[in-house]
Amino acid sequence: MPGAVLRGVTLDCADPQTLADFYGALTGMRELFSTDEFVALTDDSGCDLGFQRVDGYRAPQWPGQDVPQQFHLDFRADDLDAMEELALELGAAKPDHQPGDGRWRVLLDPAGHPFCLTPS
């Protein structure tokens, strides 16, 4: 039976280029395509990241659900402390609520989407 292959994930945001620049610097992915409305990043993994402009975008409220997160991205990191430091330097924020007893880190990207850094 044929199976679908994940091609990419697209995040809603107010400013696609700013969010693409953040994730490009965080992951090393390179820009594949760019317009004022949409930016795509790619690498050799076969799964691209896209960022699309949404008028009236409202950032998720995490851990609250007044504006649900709906999903989040997880990234493996060899050195959690170093990757967290990089993400914060690039514009991420670290919320006070940190579940998992330190096994992973929850951060918020510049558009407010939660993402996790997990050990390799």
Side-chain angles (χ1 to χ4, degrees):
M1 176 177 234
V5 175
L6 182 63
R7 172 69 176 95
V9 175
T10 298
L11 304 176
D12 292 347
C13 59
D15 184 347
Q17 190 63 61
T18 296
L19 206 54
D21 291 346
F22 170 82
Y23 280 108
L26 185 71
T27 65
M29 295 176 84
R30 65 190 179 280
E31 196 169 287
L32 174 67
F33 176 81
S34 176
T35 69
D36 289 341
E37 301 300 314
F38 184 84
V39 179
L41 299 179
T42 194
D43 61 11
D44 296 327
S45 71
C47 186
D48 298 339
L49 277 177
F51 309 94
Q52 67 184 2
R53 182 181 313 281
V54 172
D55 292 333
Y57 170 76
R58 292 176 53 207
Q61 301 300 304
W62 189 87
Q65 293 298 306
D66 291 335
V67 180
Q69 65 184 11
Q70 298 181 7
F71 75 95
H72 70 268
L73 300 172
D74 291 333
F75 297 98
R76 285 191 309 259
D78 291 333
D79 183 332
L80 286 178
D81 292 333
M83 188 56 66
E84 177 182 328
E85 183 178 331
L86 173 62
L88 294 171
E89 288 173 4
L90 293 170
K94 185 174 182 178
D96 291 335
H97 181 68
Q98 292 291 317
D101 297 324
R103 293 187 310 265
W104 65 84
R105 315 277 170 81
V106 178
L107 300 173
L108 306 175
D109 72 20
H113 302 108
F115 68 95
C116 293
L117 301 176
T118 64
S120 293

